[in-house]
């Protein structure tokens, strides 16, 4: 019957959330009905270079994410869909947890549909979405934010930003709308079947 949003804060000002904080947020979301988990946090690309390394080095994050994936909070899907931003290091691989084989890793493209200058790309990355590009904005007109993405910013205001964190909500939003439509039409999908291929 539509799409609802749940926000679970794991950062505060300059303070970053540790594995315990992020794991609690993921579990809270799973236990309170979330069917899509969208995250814009992770480990820089290149620090973990394989799924096994991620599992061994970040067991608390991995277990929390697996817990979320096992939940069946939406009748149209047989588990929880996990979407992560790929990272902003201009590196030829996704950061983790985004790069894990069962999660969707979102890269970013510029308004000209080319990869944004900062986006990670290549192995582990699954899909690209609009993320803005300040460099292109500078080239076009240094006084506008036209090449960035409008977003909420501190102080309850709006501002133009860039990053795979700006691209990631586009993908989770499309997935949420797709699942809402699937419910309306009585369709059911497995996590192995892409929501995106089901709704062209």
């Amino acid at each position: 019957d539509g799409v609802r949003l749940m926000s679970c804060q794991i950062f505060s000002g300059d303070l970053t959330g540790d594995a315990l904080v992020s794991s609690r947020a993921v579990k809270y979301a799973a236990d309170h009905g979330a069917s899509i988990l969208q995250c814009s946090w992770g480990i820089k690309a290149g620090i973990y270079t394989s799924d096994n390394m991620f599992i061994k080095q970040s067991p608390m994050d991995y277990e929390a994410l697996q817990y979320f994936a096992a939940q069946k909070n939406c009748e149209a899907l047989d588990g929880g869909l996990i979407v992560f931003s790929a990272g902003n290091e201009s590196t030829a691989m996704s950061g983790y947890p985004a790069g894990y084989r069962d999660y969707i890793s979102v890269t970013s493209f510029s308004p000209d549909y080319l990869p944004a200058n900062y986006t990670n790309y290549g192995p582990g990355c699954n899909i690209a979405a609009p993320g803005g590009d300040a460099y292109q904005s500078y080239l076009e007109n240094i006084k506008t934010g036209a090449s960035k993405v409008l977003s909420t910013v501190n102080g309850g205001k709006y501002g133009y930003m860039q990053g795979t964190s700006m691209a990631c909500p586009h993908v989770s939003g499309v997935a949420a709308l797709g699942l809402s439509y699937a419910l309306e039409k009585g369709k059911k999908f497995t996590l192995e079947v892409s929501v995106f291929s089901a709704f062209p």
Side-chain angles (χ1 to χ4, degrees):
D1 61 348
V3 174
R4 288 177 292 283
L5 300 176
M6 176 190 308
S7 179
C8 299
Q9 182 175 338
I10 64 170
F11 303 112
S12 178
D14 293 334
L15 302 175
T16 59
D18 59 16
L20 180 61
V21 172
S22 59
S23 296
R24 285 179 174 167
V26 170
K27 185 175 185 312
Y28 178 92
D31 291 344
H32 289 84
S35 54
I36 299 172
L37 182 71
Q38 184 229 282
C39 301
S40 290
W41 54 270
I43 294 128
K44 287 184 179 181
I47 293 177
Y48 295 166
T49 56
S50 71
D51 289 354
N52 286 338
M53 186 180 265
F54 165 61
I55 292 167
K56 288 179 183 177
Q57 301 282 335
S58 295
M60 192 176 292
D61 285 331
Y62 173 73
E63 289 299 323
L65 293 166
Q66 291 303 101
Y67 177 82
F68 185 91
Q71 304 309 305
K72 296 177 182 174
N73 291 330
C74 177
E75 291 178 21
L77 192 61
D78 71 343
L81 185 66
I82 299 173
V83 184
F84 267 92
S85 40
N88 306 313
E89 294 87 44
S90 302
T91 303
M93 68 179 301
S94 178
Y96 273 85
Y100 185 73
R101 65 182 170 265
D102 293 336
Y103 312 152
I104 297 172
S105 176
V106 183
T107 66
S108 180
F109 62 78
S110 299
D112 60 3
Y113 303 107
L114 295 173
N117 71 80
Y118 53 80
T119 192
N120 292 347
Y121 57 93
C125 299
N126 305 111
I127 192 169
D133 195 331
Y135 179 71
Q136 187 180 31
S137 198
Y138 174 80
L139 293 176
E140 290 174 359
N141 185 342
I142 196 167
K143 294 182 181 180
T144 73
S147 293
K148 297 184 190 177
V149 177
L150 188 61
S151 176
T152 55
V153 294
N154 290 338
K157 298 178 181 179
Y158 290 94
Y160 288 99
M161 300 181 73
Q162 69 172 13
T164 56
S165 294
M166 300 294 103
C168 197
H170 288 87
V171 173
S172 57
V174 168
L177 290 172
L179 287 178
S180 177
Y181 184 69
L183 279 172
E184 180 183 315
K185 297 298 181 184
K187 295 180 179 280
K188 294 188 178 185
F189 298 99
T190 64
L191 287 173
E192 285 74 31
V193 176
S194 168
V195 172
F196 308 105
S197 64
F199 299 100

